[in-house]
Structures are given as structure tokens and as C-alpha cells.
Amino acid sequence: MGHSRDNAIEQKLSQLAQMATVSPFSQMFYQVIARYAGLGHDWEDNIADLLTGLLSIELWYHRQLDRTRRRAHPGRGDLQSLADKRRIALESLTEEAKGTWGLTPEDEVARHLILAECYYHTYYTEKVVAHLEAALQQRSDEPLVYFALGYNRYILALEAFLRRAEQPGEGVPVNYMSFQWACLEAATAFEKVLTGSENDAEVYQWIGRVLATAGFQQAAEQAFRQAVQAEYDETGEPSQQDGPQLGAEPTGEELLAKLPPISEAEIAQAKEQLKKSFSISDLWPPDDPNIQN
């Protein structure tokens, strides 16, 4: 039973990894969940079943999305219908996950990460943050989860404490001190991702952008300088990263190394979250950029 289930999960992960509409971060996040979801057990495992359900929903959705977009004139109504069906399926899975308890701390990590992923795709940022924090209470050494926490704390700060200004794409803090505090919490989560390697450059850029958005310009400039420094090794030459061995289990650091670079338009795109439920496209490209839920 367990062997066939594990094979099915691995097959779905492989299929999702080949789909252009699945964001790179989601692909990595699914791999992290799979590491904690009790794979390899011979007994029935409700958490692994939850993961199977999540991957099945996402695989169905992205297949249908690809087929719809291949049409000569895809209608907005068709895309909205797909988004609605996906949302309903994820909400059903969320209710199932809320009523399920893992037998081990690892199971609970996987369950909270599954809930975080469901809430992310249904645009409940506050609940995403809560479940990422709960997962980290069980296992506090997972860099990718800290990265997700930093990102979602940042978006939550924008959603909770900024209001749309008259200028399109701009936001005005309604409680500046609370906004700054929320951004500092996001930066703190990003700091837990730092490893002292050249991979830190991307993380320092995120820290810098969050601090700059919050008005901590001097600290932001320091983070940007650290990002530049992290790109060079002890000889002063750009570092060359070694790829992971074939078949090896990817570590959190290796997964982070695969993240694409941050666009200069990141802050402007993040502020667009105030008007529509889209993620920042360079790191976490939206699965359905023409849809608002």
C-alpha cells in the first residue's frame, strides 16, 4: 500500500515539475512536504493521503489551464471557472487537513505545510503565516520554510497596513509603526535562511527590499552591500555553485540556490497585491495571472 502510494506521489511531483505554469517555488515546496509526509511507511498514512490530494488538485488544475491557454481565443470566463473549481477543491482539502492529526512531529510539519499551501492558493495570507509558524515550531531548521515565512509576512504587512493611494500601484501606511514592525518580522524570518555562503545574495536582497519598503534605509543599504559581498568567494572572483548529485535528496540550501533572481520591479509588483491577489512574479510567479479570486 505504502509503496504504491509513494510511487504515485513521486510521479505527480515529476509531472508537476515539467509544467511551465507551476511556479518554481511551489515545485520546491512540494518536495519539502514530501520529505515530512511519512513516505516509505508500509501502513496507511493520512498525511501522505493529504499530500496526494493536494498534488492531484494541482495537477488537474495546471493541465486544464494549459489546455485552456492553448485555445485560439481562451475566454476569461473559462479561466475564472477553472480558478473557482480549484478553490473549491482546495477548500475541501483544507477542511480535511484541519480534521487530521499527524502521528509524529514530521507528520505535523507536513500537515501544516499542506495547509499553508492551500491557504496560499486561496489567498488567506494570515493563515499561511500561522501554519508556516506552526510547522517551524515542530522543525525549526528548514530554510525554505523560513523563506516562505519571510515572504508571506512581507505580503501580510502590505495587505494589513497599507491602503491604496491615489497614484496607481502606490500604497500609504495606515499605521506606520505597525507596518515597520511587521516588515522587521519578515526580515527576521529571511535572516534565518542565511548560511554564510554565496547563496545568501538572494536572501540579502530580499532583506534589503523589505527594510527599504519599511523606511529603514540605512539597514537596507547594508543588506544590499552584503548581497554584493555574498556573490564573491574569498579570492574575489564570482563563486561557481556545484550542482547536486544525481538522485541525491535536495537540501534546503540547494533548493534556495535554484531560485531565480529578484526583479528590480519587485516592490512595485508587491504593492500590486493591494489591488489583486497575485504573487511576485520573479520568485513566486502566479499560476493564473489573468485571474482574481
Side-chain angles (χ1 to χ4, degrees), residues 134-189:
L136 288 167
Q137 288 178 357
Q138 298 286 341
R139 184 66 182 266
S140 62
D141 61 348
E142 190 60 64
L144 200 72
V145 179
Y146 272 114
F147 196 96
L149 179 60
Y151 171 86
N152 281 282
R153 279 180 175 174
Y154 178 42
I155 297 304
L156 185 59
L158 295 174
E159 292 176 345
F161 299 113
L162 292 188
R163 293 294 178 267
R164 192 188 312 176
E166 294 182 3
Q167 189 70 18
E170 294 295 327
V172 176
V174 294
N175 186 326
Y176 198 65
M177 290 185 65
S178 295
F179 176 63
Q180 286 188 314
W181 179 257
C183 287
L184 286 174
E185 286 190 321
T188 299

Side-chain angles (χ1 to χ4, degrees), residues 30-39 106 142 249-252 255:
Y30 298 148
Q31 293 178 36
V32 172
I33 297 172
R35 293 213 311 268
Y36 291 100
L39 304 191
E106 289 74 18
E142 190 60 64
E249 184 76 34
T251 65
L255 292 173

Side-chain angles (χ1 to χ4, degrees), residues 196-230:
S197 70
E198 64 272 15
N199 296 338
D200 289 350
E202 296 293 336
V203 183
Y204 276 123
Q205 287 187 50
W206 273 100
I207 293 171
R209 293 191 180 280
V210 170
L211 294 175
T213 305
F216 299 108
Q217 195 58 43
Q218 185 175 359
E221 290 173 358
Q222 175 63 22
F224 289 135
R225 285 194 295 269
Q226 289 173 300
V228 173
Q229 292 171 2

Side-chain angles (χ1 to χ4, degrees), residues 12-250:
K12 292 179 190 298
L13 287 170
S14 177
Q15 291 170 336
L16 284 165
Q18 298 173 28
M19 307 190 77
T21 53
V22 180
S23 74
F25 193 94
S26 287
Q27 295 176 26
M28 300 177 214
F29 203 73
Y30 298 148
Q31 293 178 36
V32 172
I33 297 172
R35 293 213 311 268
Y36 291 100
L39 304 191
H41 294 171
D42 292 330
W43 59 84
E44 288 195 22
D45 192 308
N46 291 335
I47 306 302
D49 291 341
L50 289 175
L51 176 57
T52 301
L54 172 63
L55 298 178
S56 296
I57 292 169
E58 291 301 280
L59 194 57
W60 171 86
Y61 171 74
H62 288 283
R63 282 174 173 167
Q64 295 299 318
L65 185 62
D66 181 65
R67 290 171 184 167
T68 301
R69 288 179 169 175
R70 288 178 182 273
R71 297 176 189 169
H73 302 288
R76 183 176 178 84
D78 294 333
L79 295 174
Q80 184 64 59
S81 176
L82 284 180
D84 290 341
K85 291 176 181 178
R86 180 203 201 188
R87 175 181 52 78
I88 292 170
L90 288 174
E91 287 176 347
S92 176
L93 183 66
T94 297
E95 290 303 310
E96 183 179 354
K98 286 165 59 178
T100 303
W101 297 99
L103 300 177
T104 67
E106 289 74 18
D107 285 342
E108 276 297 279
V109 171
R111 187 178 74 89
H112 283 298
L113 295 182
I114 289 169
L115 281 164
E117 183 73 359
C118 289
Y119 282 128
Y120 172 74
H121 289 299
T122 51
Y123 309 113
Y124 291 100
T125 311
E126 186 174 0
K127 293 182 180 181
V128 176
V129 169
H131 284 285
L132 291 173
E133 290 175 342
L136 288 167
Q137 288 178 357
Q138 298 286 341
R139 184 66 182 266
S140 62
D141 61 348
E142 190 60 64
L144 200 72
V145 179
Y146 272 114
F147 196 96
L149 179 60
Y151 171 86
N152 281 282
R153 279 180 175 174
Y154 178 42
I155 297 304
L156 185 59
L158 295 174
E159 292 176 345
F161 299 113
L162 292 188
R163 293 294 178 267
R164 192 188 312 176
E166 294 182 3
Q167 189 70 18
E170 294 295 327
V172 176
V174 294
N175 186 326
Y176 198 65
M177 290 185 65
S178 295
F179 176 63
Q180 286 188 314
W181 179 257
C183 287
L184 286 174
E185 286 190 321
T188 299
F190 281 130
E191 287 174 352
K192 294 182 182 295
V193 184
L194 297 171
T195 62
S197 70
E198 64 272 15
N199 296 338
D200 289 350
E202 296 293 336
V203 183
Y204 276 123
Q205 287 187 50
W206 273 100
I207 293 171
R209 293 191 180 280
V210 170
L211 294 175
T213 305
F216 299 108
Q217 195 58 43
Q218 185 175 359
E221 290 173 358
Q222 175 63 22
F224 289 135
R225 285 194 295 269
Q226 289 173 300
V228 173
Q229 292 171 2
E231 293 177 346
Y232 296 88
D233 59 21
E234 293 179 357
T235 65
E237 296 296 329
S239 299
Q240 299 295 323
Q241 296 182 26
D242 297 327
Q245 294 181 353
L246 185 63
E249 184 76 34

